[in-house]
PDB file of all heavy atoms in Angstrom:
ATOM      1  N   THR Z   1     173.537 112.801 115.168  1.00 92.00           N
ATOM      2  CA  THR Z   1     174.238 114.063 115.349  1.00 92.00           C
ATOM      3  C   THR Z   1     173.332 115.229 114.972  1.00 92.00           C
ATOM      4  O   THR Z   1     172.906 115.285 113.821  1.00 92.00           O
ATOM      5  CB  THR Z   1     175.506 114.096 114.486  1.00 92.00           C
ATOM      6  OG1 THR Z   1     176.281 112.954 114.785  1.00 92.00           O
ATOM      7  CG2 THR Z   1     176.315 115.334 114.728  1.00 92.00           C
ATOM      8  N   PRO Z   2     173.037 116.120 115.872  1.00 92.00           N
ATOM      9  CA  PRO Z   2     173.325 116.092 117.302  1.00 92.00           C
ATOM     10  C   PRO Z   2     172.377 115.118 118.008  1.00 92.00           C
ATOM     11  O   PRO Z   2     171.301 114.818 117.493  1.00 92.00           O
ATOM     12  CB  PRO Z   2     173.063 117.530 117.759  1.00 92.00           C
ATOM     13  CG  PRO Z   2     172.027 118.043 116.806  1.00 92.00           C
ATOM     14  CD  PRO Z   2     172.303 117.352 115.489  1.00 92.00           C
ATOM     15  N   PRO Z   3     172.761 114.639 119.178  1.00 92.00           N
ATOM     16  CA  PRO Z   3     171.889 113.731 119.924  1.00 92.00           C
ATOM     17  C   PRO Z   3     170.539 114.402 120.200  1.00 92.00           C
ATOM     18  O   PRO Z   3     170.499 115.588 120.529  1.00 92.00           O
ATOM     19  CB  PRO Z   3     172.644 113.489 121.229  1.00 92.00           C
ATOM     20  CG  PRO Z   3     174.051 113.885 120.950  1.00 92.00           C
ATOM     21  CD  PRO Z   3     174.006 114.923 119.882  1.00 92.00           C
ATOM     22  N   ASN Z   4     169.446 113.665 120.012  1.00 94.00           N
ATOM     23  CA  ASN Z   4     168.139 114.295 120.175  1.00 94.00           C
ATOM     24  C   ASN Z   4     167.150 113.467 120.993  1.00 94.00           C
ATOM     25  O   ASN Z   4     166.041 113.911 121.254  1.00 94.00           O
ATOM     26  CB  ASN Z   4     167.537 114.621 118.804  1.00 94.00           C
ATOM     27  CG  ASN Z   4     167.523 113.419 117.887  1.00 94.00           C
ATOM     28  OD1 ASN Z   4     167.204 112.307 118.293  1.00 94.00           O
ATOM     29  ND2 ASN Z   4     167.887 113.639 116.636  1.00 94.00           N
ATOM     30  N   GLY Z   5     167.486 112.252 121.372  1.00 93.00           N
ATOM     31  CA  GLY Z   5     166.585 111.416 122.151  1.00 93.00           C
ATOM     32  C   GLY Z   5     165.462 110.796 121.351  1.00 93.00           C
ATOM     33  O   GLY Z   5     164.665 110.037 121.880  1.00 93.00           O
ATOM     34  N   VAL Z   6     165.385 111.117 120.066  1.00 96.00           N
ATOM     35  CA  VAL Z   6     164.342 110.564 119.199  1.00 96.00           C
ATOM     36  C   VAL Z   6     164.831 109.301 118.510  1.00 96.00           C
ATOM     37  O   VAL Z   6     164.118 108.309 118.415  1.00 96.00           O
ATOM     38  CB  VAL Z   6     163.876 111.610 118.152  1.00 96.00           C
ATOM     39  CG1 VAL Z   6     162.844 111.021 117.207  1.00 96.00           C
ATOM     40  CG2 VAL Z   6     163.342 112.849 118.849  1.00 96.00           C
ATOM     41  N   LEU Z   7     166.067 109.324 118.034  1.00 95.00           N
ATOM     42  CA  LEU Z   7     166.676 108.179 117.347  1.00 95.00           C
ATOM     43  C   LEU Z   7     167.726 107.537 118.246  1.00 95.00           C
ATOM     44  O   LEU Z   7     168.353 108.205 119.065  1.00 95.00           O
ATOM     45  CB  LEU Z   7     167.320 108.627 116.036  1.00 95.00           C
ATOM     46  CG  LEU Z   7     166.364 109.181 114.984  1.00 95.00           C
ATOM     47  CD1 LEU Z   7     167.140 109.897 113.893  1.00 95.00           C
ATOM     48  CD2 LEU Z   7     165.523 108.071 114.395  1.00 95.00           C
ATOM     49  N   LYS Z   8     167.946 106.252 118.039  1.00 93.00           N
ATOM     50  CA  LYS Z   8     168.880 105.498 118.884  1.00 93.00           C
ATOM     51  C   LYS Z   8     170.196 105.221 118.154  1.00 93.00           C
ATOM     52  O   LYS Z   8     170.195 104.780 117.008  1.00 93.00           O
ATOM     53  CB  LYS Z   8     168.224 104.179 119.294  1.00 93.00           C
ATOM     54  CG  LYS Z   8     169.069 103.361 120.216  1.00 93.00           C
ATOM     55  CD  LYS Z   8     168.364 102.090 120.630  1.00 93.00           C
ATOM     56  CE  LYS Z   8     169.291 101.347 121.575  1.00 93.00           C
ATOM     57  NZ  LYS Z   8     168.861 100.054 121.910  1.00 93.00           N
ATOM     58  N   ASP Z   9     171.327 105.449 118.842  1.00 95.00           N
ATOM     59  CA  ASP Z   9     172.646 105.074 118.314  1.00 95.00           C
ATOM     60  C   ASP Z   9     172.765 103.555 118.314  1.00 95.00           C
ATOM     61  O   ASP Z   9     172.100 102.864 119.079  1.00 95.00           O
ATOM     62  CB  ASP Z   9     173.770 105.634 119.190  1.00 95.00           C
ATOM     63  CG  ASP Z   9     173.823 107.149 119.210  1.00 95.00           C
ATOM     64  OD1 ASP Z   9     173.161 107.786 118.363  1.00 95.00           O
ATOM     65  OD2 ASP Z   9     174.516 107.699 120.069  1.00 95.00           O
ATOM     66  N   THR Z  10     173.656 103.031 117.470  1.00 94.00           N
ATOM     67  CA  THR Z  10     173.907 101.591 117.442  1.00 94.00           C
ATOM     68  C   THR Z  10     175.329 101.340 116.942  1.00 94.00           C
ATOM     69  O   THR Z  10     175.991 102.245 116.467  1.00 94.00           O
ATOM     70  CB  THR Z  10     172.861 100.854 116.572  1.00 94.00           C
ATOM     71  OG1 THR Z  10     173.014  99.455 116.736  1.00 94.00           O
ATOM     72  CG2 THR Z  10     173.012 101.196 115.101  1.00 94.00           C
ATOM     73  N   SER Z  11     175.784 100.114 117.052  1.00 95.00           N
ATOM     74  CA  SER Z  11     177.113  99.751 116.543  1.00 95.00           C
ATOM     75  C   SER Z  11     177.117  98.284 116.176  1.00 95.00           C
ATOM     76  O   SER Z  11     176.195  97.536 116.523  1.00 95.00           O
ATOM     77  CB  SER Z  11     178.188 100.041 117.595  1.00 95.00           C
ATOM     78  OG  SER Z  11     177.961  99.269 118.744  1.00 95.00           O
ATOM     79  N   GLY Z  12     178.167  97.860 115.464  1.00 95.00           N
ATOM     80  CA  GLY Z  12     178.238  96.464 115.048  1.00 95.00           C
ATOM     81  C   GLY Z  12     179.604  96.078 114.535  1.00 95.00           C
ATOM     82  O   GLY Z  12     180.551  96.866 114.552  1.00 95.00           O
ATOM     83  N   TYR Z  13     179.670  94.840 114.042  1.00 91.00           N
ATOM     84  CA  TYR Z  13     180.916  94.233 113.592  1.00 91.00           C
ATOM     85  C   TYR Z  13     180.676  93.549 112.259  1.00 91.00           C
ATOM     86  O   TYR Z  13     179.680  92.840 112.090  1.00 91.00           O
ATOM     87  CB  TYR Z  13     181.373  93.211 114.638  1.00 91.00           C
ATOM     88  CG  TYR Z  13     182.624  92.478 114.290  1.00 91.00           C
ATOM     89  CD1 TYR Z  13     183.865  93.090 114.379  1.00 91.00           C
ATOM     90  CD2 TYR Z  13     182.579  91.159 113.863  1.00 91.00           C
ATOM     91  CE1 TYR Z  13     185.017  92.423 114.059  1.00 91.00           C
ATOM     92  CE2 TYR Z  13     183.729  90.472 113.540  1.00 91.00           C
ATOM     93  CZ  TYR Z  13     184.950  91.110 113.640  1.00 91.00           C
ATOM     94  OH  TYR Z  13     186.096  90.434 113.305  1.00 91.00           O
ATOM     95  N   MET Z  14     181.551  93.777 111.320  1.00 92.00           N
ATOM     96  CA  MET Z  14     181.522  93.220 109.970  1.00 92.00           C
ATOM     97  C   MET Z  14     180.324  93.776 109.182  1.00 92.00           C
ATOM     98  O   MET Z  14     179.597  94.620 109.648  1.00 92.00           O
ATOM     99  CB  MET Z  14     181.527  91.688 109.982  1.00 92.00           C
ATOM    100  CG  MET Z  14     182.831  91.112 110.549  1.00 92.00           C
ATOM    101  SD  MET Z  14     184.337  91.665 109.700  1.00 92.00           S
ATOM    102  CE  MET Z  14     184.291  90.700 108.210  1.00 92.00           C
ATOM    103  N   ASP Z  15     180.156  93.285 107.952  1.00 94.00           N
ATOM    104  CA  ASP Z  15     179.100  93.777 107.070  1.00 94.00           C
ATOM    105  C   ASP Z  15     177.724  93.438 107.629  1.00 94.00           C
ATOM    106  O   ASP Z  15     177.520  92.362 108.190  1.00 94.00           O
ATOM    107  CB  ASP Z  15     179.227  93.153 105.687  1.00 94.00           C
ATOM    108  CG  ASP Z  15     180.487  93.584 104.956  1.00 94.00           C
ATOM    109  OD1 ASP Z  15     181.120  94.576 105.380  1.00 94.00           O
ATOM    110  OD2 ASP Z  15     180.835  92.938 103.951  1.00 94.00           O
ATOM    111  N   ASN Z  16     176.779  94.375 107.443  1.00 94.00           N
ATOM    112  CA  ASN Z  16     175.398  94.135 107.842  1.00 94.00           C
ATOM    113  C   ASN Z  16     174.507  94.903 106.873  1.00 94.00           C
ATOM    114  O   ASN Z  16     174.596  96.123 106.782  1.00 94.00           O
ATOM    115  CB  ASN Z  16     175.160  94.599 109.281  1.00 94.00           C
ATOM    116  CG  ASN Z  16     173.812  94.182 109.809  1.00 94.00           C
ATOM    117  OD1 ASN Z  16     172.885  93.909 109.046  1.00 94.00           O
ATOM    118  ND2 ASN Z  16     173.689  94.139 111.120  1.00 94.00           N
ATOM    119  N   VAL Z  17     173.665  94.192 106.142  1.00 96.00           N
ATOM    120  CA  VAL Z  17     172.791  94.838 105.162  1.00 96.00           C
ATOM    121  C   VAL Z  17     171.422  95.185 105.750  1.00 96.00           C
ATOM    122  O   VAL Z  17     170.547  95.651 105.031  1.00 96.00           O
ATOM    123  CB  VAL Z  17     172.625  93.972 103.894  1.00 96.00           C
ATOM    124  CG1 VAL Z  17     173.963  93.819 103.175  1.00 96.00           C
ATOM    125  CG2 VAL Z  17     172.025  92.626 104.231  1.00 96.00           C
ATOM    126  N   ALA Z  18     171.240  94.956 107.051  1.00 96.00           N
ATOM    127  CA  ALA Z  18     169.958  95.256 107.700  1.00 96.00           C
ATOM    128  C   ALA Z  18     170.175  95.838 109.099  1.00 96.00           C
ATOM    129  O   ALA Z  18     169.677  95.314 110.088  1.00 96.00           O
ATOM    130  CB  ALA Z  18     169.095  94.013 107.760  1.00 96.00           C
ATOM    131  N   VAL Z  19     170.906  96.941 109.175  1.00 95.00           N
ATOM    132  CA  VAL Z  19     171.152  97.610 110.452  1.00 95.00           C
ATOM    133  C   VAL Z  19     169.870  98.360 110.831  1.00 95.00           C
ATOM    134  O   VAL Z  19     169.415  99.227 110.082  1.00 95.00           O
ATOM    135  CB  VAL Z  19     172.321  98.606 110.352  1.00 95.00           C
ATOM    136  CG1 VAL Z  19     172.498  99.369 111.649  1.00 95.00           C
ATOM    137  CG2 VAL Z  19     173.594  97.886 109.945  1.00 95.00           C
ATOM    138  N   PRO Z  20     169.270  98.053 111.979  1.00 95.00           N
ATOM    139  CA  PRO Z  20     168.048  98.764 112.357  1.00 95.00           C
ATOM    140  C   PRO Z  20     168.341 100.171 112.876  1.00 95.00           C
ATOM    141  O   PRO Z  20     169.208 100.358 113.714  1.00 95.00           O
ATOM    142  CB  PRO Z  20     167.457  97.880 113.460  1.00 95.00           C
ATOM    143  CG  PRO Z  20     168.624  97.142 114.035  1.00 95.00           C
ATOM    144  CD  PRO Z  20     169.623  96.994 112.923  1.00 95.00           C
ATOM    145  N   VAL Z  21     167.640 101.139 112.323  1.00 95.00           N
ATOM    146  CA  VAL Z  21     167.678 102.514 112.823  1.00 95.00           C
ATOM    147  C   VAL Z  21     166.300 102.735 113.430  1.00 95.00           C
ATOM    148  O   VAL Z  21     165.283 102.624 112.745  1.00 95.00           O
ATOM    149  CB  VAL Z  21     167.964 103.525 111.696  1.00 95.00           C
ATOM    150  CG1 VAL Z  21     167.938 104.946 112.228  1.00 95.00           C
ATOM    151  CG2 VAL Z  21     169.299 103.213 111.030  1.00 95.00           C
ATOM    152  N   ARG Z  22     166.264 103.052 114.734  1.00 95.00           N
ATOM    153  CA  ARG Z  22     164.994 103.072 115.468  1.00 95.00           C
ATOM    154  C   ARG Z  22     164.624 104.464 115.984  1.00 95.00           C
ATOM    155  O   ARG Z  22     165.459 105.176 116.512  1.00 95.00           O
ATOM    156  CB  ARG Z  22     165.070 102.139 116.668  1.00 95.00           C
ATOM    157  CG  ARG Z  22     165.339 100.704 116.311  1.00 95.00           C
ATOM    158  CD  ARG Z  22     165.396  99.839 117.571  1.00 95.00           C
ATOM    159  NE  ARG Z  22     165.897  98.516 117.306  1.00 95.00           N
ATOM    160  CZ  ARG Z  22     165.193  97.530 116.759  1.00 95.00           C
ATOM    161  NH1 ARG Z  22     163.946  97.733 116.419  1.00 95.00           N
ATOM    162  NH2 ARG Z  22     165.732  96.346 116.551  1.00 95.00           N
ATOM    163  N   VAL Z  23     163.331 104.753 115.866  1.00 95.00           N
ATOM    164  CA  VAL Z  23     162.756 105.907 116.544  1.00 95.00           C
ATOM    165  C   VAL Z  23     162.356 105.414 117.920  1.00 95.00           C
ATOM    166  O   VAL Z  23     161.590 104.462 118.058  1.00 95.00           O
ATOM    167  CB  VAL Z  23     161.518 106.450 115.796  1.00 95.00           C
ATOM    168  CG1 VAL Z  23     160.816 107.512 116.621  1.00 95.00           C
ATOM    169  CG2 VAL Z  23     161.912 107.003 114.442  1.00 95.00           C
ATOM    170  N   ILE Z  24     162.917 106.046 118.969  1.00 93.00           N
ATOM    171  CA  ILE Z  24     162.627 105.565 120.319  1.00 93.00           C
ATOM    172  C   ILE Z  24     161.659 106.455 121.090  1.00 93.00           C
ATOM    173  O   ILE Z  24     160.995 105.990 122.009  1.00 93.00           O
ATOM    174  CB  ILE Z  24     163.917 105.347 121.142  1.00 93.00           C
ATOM    175  CG1 ILE Z  24     164.760 106.607 121.183  1.00 93.00           C
ATOM    176  CG2 ILE Z  24     164.699 104.174 120.598  1.00 93.00           C
ATOM    177  CD1 ILE Z  24     165.957 106.523 122.113  1.00 93.00           C
ATOM    178  N   ASP Z  25     161.542 107.758 120.717  1.00 94.00           N
ATOM    179  CA  ASP Z  25     160.653 108.630 121.487  1.00 94.00           C
ATOM    180  C   ASP Z  25     160.300 109.879 120.691  1.00 94.00           C
ATOM    181  O   ASP Z  25     161.029 110.877 120.746  1.00 94.00           O
ATOM    182  CB  ASP Z  25     161.309 109.001 122.821  1.00 94.00           C
ATOM    183  CG  ASP Z  25     160.341 109.685 123.763  1.00 94.00           C
ATOM    184  OD1 ASP Z  25     159.181 109.937 123.370  1.00 94.00           O
ATOM    185  OD2 ASP Z  25     160.755 109.968 124.906  1.00 94.00           O
ATOM    186  N   ARG Z  26     159.180 109.841 119.965  1.00 94.00           N
ATOM    187  CA  ARG Z  26     158.746 111.003 119.183  1.00 94.00           C
ATOM    188  C   ARG Z  26     158.314 112.170 120.074  1.00 94.00           C
ATOM    189  O   ARG Z  26     158.274 113.306 119.624  1.00 94.00           O
ATOM    190  CB  ARG Z  26     157.598 110.604 118.256  1.00 94.00           C
ATOM    191  CG  ARG Z  26     158.044 109.982 116.960  1.00 94.00           C
ATOM    192  CD  ARG Z  26     156.840 109.823 116.024  1.00 94.00           C
ATOM    193  NE  ARG Z  26     157.240 109.554 114.668  1.00 94.00           N
ATOM    194  CZ  ARG Z  26     157.444 108.348 114.167  1.00 94.00           C
ATOM    195  NH1 ARG Z  26     157.302 107.284 114.931  1.00 94.00           N
ATOM    196  NH2 ARG Z  26     157.790 108.201 112.908  1.00 94.00           N
ATOM    197  N   SER Z  27     157.981 111.904 121.322  1.00 94.00           N
ATOM    198  CA  SER Z  27     157.523 112.993 122.200  1.00 94.00           C
ATOM    199  C   SER Z  27     158.642 114.012 122.464  1.00 94.00           C
ATOM    200  O   SER Z  27     158.367 115.128 122.899  1.00 94.00           O
ATOM    201  CB  SER Z  27     157.003 112.431 123.532  1.00 94.00           C
ATOM    202  OG  SER Z  27     158.067 111.904 124.301  1.00 94.00           O
ATOM    203  N   LYS Z  28     159.878 113.657 122.187  1.00 93.00           N
ATOM    204  CA  LYS Z  28     161.001 114.577 122.390  1.00 93.00           C
ATOM    205  C   LYS Z  28     161.217 115.512 121.193  1.00 93.00           C
ATOM    206  O   LYS Z  28     162.101 116.354 121.221  1.00 93.00           O
ATOM    207  CB  LYS Z  28     162.277 113.798 122.677  1.00 93.00           C
ATOM    208  CG  LYS Z  28     162.203 113.069 124.015  1.00 93.00           C
ATOM    209  CD  LYS Z  28     163.486 112.376 124.352  1.00 93.00           C
ATOM    210  CE  LYS Z  28     163.346 111.698 125.710  1.00 93.00           C
ATOM    211  NZ  LYS Z  28     164.505 110.910 126.063  1.00 93.00           N
ATOM    212  N   MET Z  29     160.381 115.365 120.174  1.00 93.00           N
ATOM    213  CA  MET Z  29     160.480 116.255 119.012  1.00 93.00           C
ATOM    214  C   MET Z  29     159.889 117.610 119.366  1.00 93.00           C
ATOM    215  O   MET Z  29     158.823 117.687 119.971  1.00 93.00           O
ATOM    216  CB  MET Z  29     159.751 115.643 117.810  1.00 93.00           C
ATOM    217  CG  MET Z  29     160.416 114.407 117.261  1.00 93.00           C
ATOM    218  SD  MET Z  29     159.476 113.562 115.960  1.00 93.00           S
ATOM    219  CE  MET Z  29     159.329 114.821 114.716  1.00 93.00           C
ATOM    220  N   SER Z  30     160.573 118.684 118.971  1.00 91.00           N
ATOM    221  CA  SER Z  30     160.095 120.032 119.286  1.00 91.00           C
ATOM    222  C   SER Z  30     159.076 120.534 118.267  1.00 91.00           C
ATOM    223  O   SER Z  30     158.405 121.532 118.506  1.00 91.00           O
ATOM    224  CB  SER Z  30     161.272 120.998 119.375  1.00 91.00           C
ATOM    225  OG  SER Z  30     161.958 121.027 118.136  1.00 91.00           O
ATOM    226  N   GLY Z  31     158.962 119.861 117.144  1.00 93.00           N
ATOM    227  CA  GLY Z  31     158.007 120.261 116.108  1.00 93.00           C
ATOM    228  C   GLY Z  31     157.404 119.035 115.446  1.00 93.00           C
ATOM    229  O   GLY Z  31     157.553 117.912 115.927  1.00 93.00           O
TER     230      GLY Z  31
END
């Protein structure tokens, strides 16, 4: 939030102690 194209949304079910949060495209960063 807000969507930026740099990080990826994800979802899941039940407890997870290792949810991956990924950088998908640094070239979309403005700075």
Side-chain angles (χ1 to χ4, degrees):
T1 306
N4 52 42
V6 177
L7 296 166
K8 183 178 181 188
D9 296 347
T10 189
S11 62
Y13 178 75
M14 295 304 284
D15 294 345
N16 189 338
V17 296
V19 176
V21 178
R22 300 180 191 282
V23 172
I24 55 173
D25 191 356
R26 276 189 165 89
S27 69
K28 293 184 179 175
M29 292 174 59
S30 60

